[in-house]
Amino acid sequence: MSMVNLTEEQGMVRKIAREFSENEIKPVASENDKNHKFPKDIVDKLSELGFMGMVVPEEYGGSGFDYLSYIIAIEEISRACASTGAIMSVNNSLVCDPIYTFGNEEQKRAYLADLTTGKKLGCFMLSEPEAGSDPASMNTRAVKKGKNYVLNGAKCWITNGAEADLAVVFASTDATKRNKGVSAFIVEMKSTGVTIGKLEDKLGIKATSTAQVYFEDCKIPATNMLGEEGDGFKIAMHTLDGGRIGIAAQAVGIAQAAIEDSVRYAKERKAFGRAISNFQGLQFMIADMATRIEASRLLTWQAAVMKDSGGKYSKNSAMAKLYASETAMWVTTKAIQIHGGFGYTTDYSVERYFRDAKITEIYEGTSEIQRNVIARETLKEIQ
Ligand code: CAA
């Protein structure tokens, strides 16, 4: 565990999240993965624990924790089940955060308490079939008609899409302005004109839904716009800056689970008359796994502390996500290697960790996008 001193509250969050993960999530994680089952009962209990709106202030129905506490909880939950970590992180980082940060008082009062207490689940709709890394070229349009905006278009890769009640949706209100013509809306999923399309059959995080969503003449009250017309791209970027720290924490949790399983297995498994943990080749793998995980956790915590202190942290959140996700992929590959043939079967959890790790290099900005962000900021900083 890390050397950084946690506050009493952060330590308490870690303890509660760890106990809940061990007792309630770990026992069912593998089955839910195999059955592609959305863990509704677990999500309900996470709401009861106050984990679905962790940094939303109490006056809006949230738990009022700092961002580092939230990040610690995501790591612990993802250590048991990365799918549950993804569901939780979308609701917290990608839905509650933009509504709290950019919503007006009426919007906050109307939506936050439902999202934090489990009455509603949120999803975030930015990506489109032909606009993933380049969201400014989105094709979804929102046209103002009287007191409404009318949405038309297709969104994809929507985590929680099948279960969500509420969405933060990005649409172009002026296509000639590219990123400056993007606007953000709060959309009730039960609105007329919203259709859930194909649910993706994925490599990992199989206990989450990943949906295509279509808007066909979907009327949204103009009062549901977040910020002003044209603010959407900056709202999306700001939201993803925070979200990426959550994905970094998810990756750290997956990697932590993989090293723990690997060490326990290596101490039990015998070859050539000894437990394989005695072999230096294997010890060196464990040493590198432990070091990379610790470095990832520290980058992740640093980005969270920077967000808490109100400064600019785009570069730090990109670094944390880049390094932690590539670490999770690397560590889970080694974990399978340590388990040998057994690690390649579904009798052990390391193959699930390996499959789950891969998404952390892709969603909320690919590793290539994180490198773009880091390079851009670094080139600006060093003159
Ligand atoms: N915060 C605030 N503003 C920002 C910003 C940030 N982090 N980053 C950029 N901006 C602003 C810029 O300052 C610029 O403002 P001006 O026009 O006023 O100068 C404006 O936004 C446009 O910036 P860029 O020219 O840099 O924009 P770009 O089109 O070149 O894109 C990018 C930059 C970093 C590549 C960005 O498009 C990006 O992050 N792409 C990846 C998108 C992504 O992460 N998608 C994931 C979707 S969510 C998901 O995964 C689904 C799920 O359910 C989990």
Side-chain angles (χ1 to χ4, degrees):
M1 283 300 128
S2 187
M3 294 289 290
V4 175
N5 282 332
L6 298 180
T7 62
E8 202 178 312
E9 187 171 83
Q10 289 156 354
M12 182 195 74
V13 166
R14 167 170 261 176
K15 188 168 174 288
I16 292 170
R18 164 99 27 148
E19 279 171 12
F20 181 73
S21 289
E22 287 292 325
N23 298 334
E24 309 264 350
I25 306 183
K26 223 176 190 177
V28 295
S30 179
E31 274 311 296
N32 285 344
D33 171 74
K34 279 182 193 144
N35 300 326
H36 301 202
K37 181 171 175 264
F38 180 85
K40 167 94 177 77
D41 45 344
I42 291 173
V43 174
D44 288 344
K45 286 180 187 165
L46 285 171
S47 300
E48 282 165 29
L49 285 176
F51 279 14
M52 292 303 276
M54 288 190 73
V55 298
V56 173
E58 288 175 36
E59 59 168 315
Y60 296 108
S63 304
F65 289 118
D66 59 14
Y67 213 75
L68 182 54
S69 298
Y70 160 60
I71 285 307
I72 287 168
I74 288 279
E75 177 187 332
E76 292 300 332
I77 302 296
S78 304
R79 176 175 159 271
C81 172
S83 288
T84 310
I87 296 161
M88 182 179 149
S89 107
V90 167
N91 200 70
N92 276 275
S93 315
L94 300 189
V95 186
C96 288
D97 186 275
I99 295 177
Y100 176 65
T101 310
F102 299 99
N104 57 34
E105 192 58 25
E106 221 179 328
Q107 291 167 338
K108 289 191 227 191
R109 296 272 168 221
Y111 296 111
L112 282 174
D114 283 353
L115 288 163
T116 58
T117 56
K119 274 200 200 123
K120 287 189 173 154
L121 182 72
C123 68
F124 179 83
M125 299 195 201
L126 178 69
S127 301
E128 299 186 358
E130 288 177 42
S133 289
D134 178 18
S137 63
M138 67 176 60
N139 287 314
T140 298
R141 301 280 179 258
V143 178
K144 184 121 195 254
K145 285 200 176 138
K147 289 185 174 166
N148 296 312
Y149 280 89
V150 180
L151 265 63
N152 277 287
K155 295 288 177 182
C156 66
W157 316 123
I158 309 305
T159 309
N160 293 350
E163 299 82 15
D165 308 282
L166 204 69
V168 172
V169 178
F170 297 87
S172 176
T173 38
D174 186 347
T176 61
K177 292 190 183 159
R178 259 182 74 83
N179 63 289
K180 286 191 165 55
V182 174
S183 301
F185 300 89
I186 304 169
V187 178
E188 300 266 5
M189 292 295 282
K190 62 173 195 265
S191 311
T192 307
V194 181
T195 314
I196 309 292
K198 183 182 164 215
L199 299 183
E200 306 297 343
D201 186 4
K202 311 184 294 289
L203 175 71
I205 56 163
K206 284 173 179 276
T208 66
S209 66
T210 304
Q212 295 187 5
V213 181
Y214 301 99
F215 294 96
E216 262 182 279
D217 294 330
C218 173
K219 272 191 209 154
I220 304 301
T223 49
N224 278 27
M225 179 178 276
L226 271 180
E228 304 290 325
E229 249 193 38
D231 285 351
F233 195 80
K234 285 191 182 172
I235 293 175
M237 291 299 112
H238 171 94
T239 302
L240 287 165
D241 278 347
R244 287 166 185 166
I245 313 173
I247 302 307
Q250 183 194 28
V252 174
I254 297 168
Q256 182 65 35
I259 193 173
E260 288 176 21
D261 285 15
S262 299
V263 168
R264 290 191 187 112
Y265 180 83
K267 285 183 184 171
E268 274 174 19
R269 173 72 182 175
K270 291 199 172 55
F272 306 100
R274 291 193 284 171
I276 60 171
S277 58
N278 289 301
F279 294 111
Q280 193 181 49
L282 199 132
Q283 288 178 358
F284 280 9
M285 276 194 231
I286 298 286
D288 288 344
M289 290 159 85
T291 306
R292 291 188 195 199
I293 293 169
E294 197 63 6
S296 301
R297 183 177 290 115
L298 288 173
L299 276 175
T300 305
W301 286 14
Q302 164 150 304
V305 168
M306 288 176 82
K307 179 165 165 59
D308 274 327
S309 56
K312 202 170 176 324
Y313 58 91
S314 307
K315 182 186 79 176
N316 304 80
S317 88
M319 282 179 165
K321 183 183 181 289
L322 172 66
Y323 194 75
S325 61
E326 294 195 344
T327 293
M329 205 59 234
W330 189 85
V331 165
T332 54
T333 306
K334 294 291 178 210
I336 293 182
Q337 195 67 20
I338 290 169
H339 283 73
F342 291 110
Y344 200 63
T345 73
T346 55
D347 291 345
Y348 287 79
S349 296
V350 284
E351 63 82 33
R352 171 166 58 91
Y353 305 152
F354 172 86
R355 289 185 288 102
D356 287 347
K358 185 62 205 171
I359 191 58
T360 66
E361 293 184 324
I362 299 171
Y363 62 11
E364 298 201 31
T366 60
S367 292
E368 292 68 32
I369 291 295
Q370 307 313 322
R371 288 187 168 89
N372 282 344
V373 172
I374 297 163
R376 186 181 64 193
E377 296 298 320
T378 306
L379 288 164
K380 262 196 267 172
E381 276 166 21
I382 304 174
Q383 295 300 335

